[in-house]
Amino acid sequence: MKLVELNTRLRRGATAFLSAAHTGLAAFGLLALAFVVFDGPRFVPIHVAQAGSIALGKSKTEATPPQLAVAATANAAIDPHRRAVTDHLARRFRIAADALDGLVSEAYVAGSATGVDPLLILAVMAIESRFNPFAESDFGAKGLMQVVPRFHLDKLAAHGGEETVLDPRINIHVGAQILREYVRRTGSLEDGLQLYAGAGDDPAQGYAQKVIAEQRRMADVVARIPRLATNA
């Protein structure tokens, strides 16, 4: 009898335990659900674009700073002549216009500073590097205008030294300075261009003719702008 009674008590205890456990788990589940729905933190999935904004310390809904908006508007209202030159070069050399836009603008700035025709500066870039800012020759010429640092350390020093030669803006300005100096030294555009290319002994002046041909193509494009604007 005692053994039977013990078994009965054990079965009752087990049943009570399972019932309590089931009730406890259910209660825990309800508590967890209540925590999430009412009291717990609300977790929102972060999309890739939003994660990028957070990583940069910016809110996804942060407004564009006014000064950036003004700059963007100014860039959109670019001079039509420069835009025409940019589009022409983009088609001719198969380069994105957006990538060329800054180079064309900088050529105009350098041209204004040095008194060199910006179309001539762009023509030199076209022949020397095809607008590759990282171009380098076996002779050591570098960048858009293929400046040889060891020959023009004085000009580069004004911009921070030899290591700045691959900065596109500095390369354009230094190249324009060199071009102006060589044209003045030789007394003619053709001879100055030949000296720039290190080909002063070429009687056919092949380099100069290539550069001048590119310059004339761009000049023809610019010359058509007033007529196109009138017909529009």
Side-chain angles (χ1 to χ4, degrees), residues 116-125 145 179 183 189 193 211-212 215 218:
V116 177
D117 182 359
L119 300 184
L120 180 63
I121 296 172
L122 289 166
V124 170
M125 276 193 269
M145 300 282 283
L179 188 56
V183 170
L189 175 59
L193 285 169
V211 171
I212 292 172
Q215 180 189 22
M218 287 182 277

Side-chain angles (χ1 to χ4, degrees), residues 64-78:
T64 302
Q67 62 272 25
L68 295 183
V70 171
T73 302
N75 289 336
I78 188 171

Side-chain angles (χ1 to χ4, degrees), residues 141-177:
K142 297 181 179 182
L144 293 162
M145 300 282 283
Q146 288 293 277
V147 174
V148 183
R150 64 180 181 274
F151 293 156
H152 305 288
L153 292 176
D154 58 330
K155 296 178 178 63
L156 289 169
H159 298 281
E162 181 178 352
E163 63 274 11
T164 65
V165 70
L166 289 178
D167 181 306
R169 184 186 65 82
I170 294 173
N171 196 279
I172 291 172
H173 281 259
V174 170
Q177 289 178 317

Side-chain angles (χ1 to χ4, degrees), residues 100-133:
L100 280 170
D101 187 48
L103 301 183
V104 172
S105 296
E106 202 60 53
Y108 274 82
V109 173
S112 177
T114 59
V116 177
D117 182 359
L119 300 184
L120 180 63
I121 296 172
L122 289 166
V124 170
M125 276 193 269
I127 299 302
E128 289 287 351
S129 66
R130 296 182 68 87
F131 302 100
N132 177 4

Side-chain angles (χ1 to χ4, degrees), residues 78 81-91 97 100-101 104:
I78 188 171
H81 292 85
R82 272 184 276 179
R83 170 52 61 189
V85 169
T86 299
D87 292 342
H88 162 76
L89 293 173
R91 289 191 300 270
L100 280 170
D101 187 48
V104 172

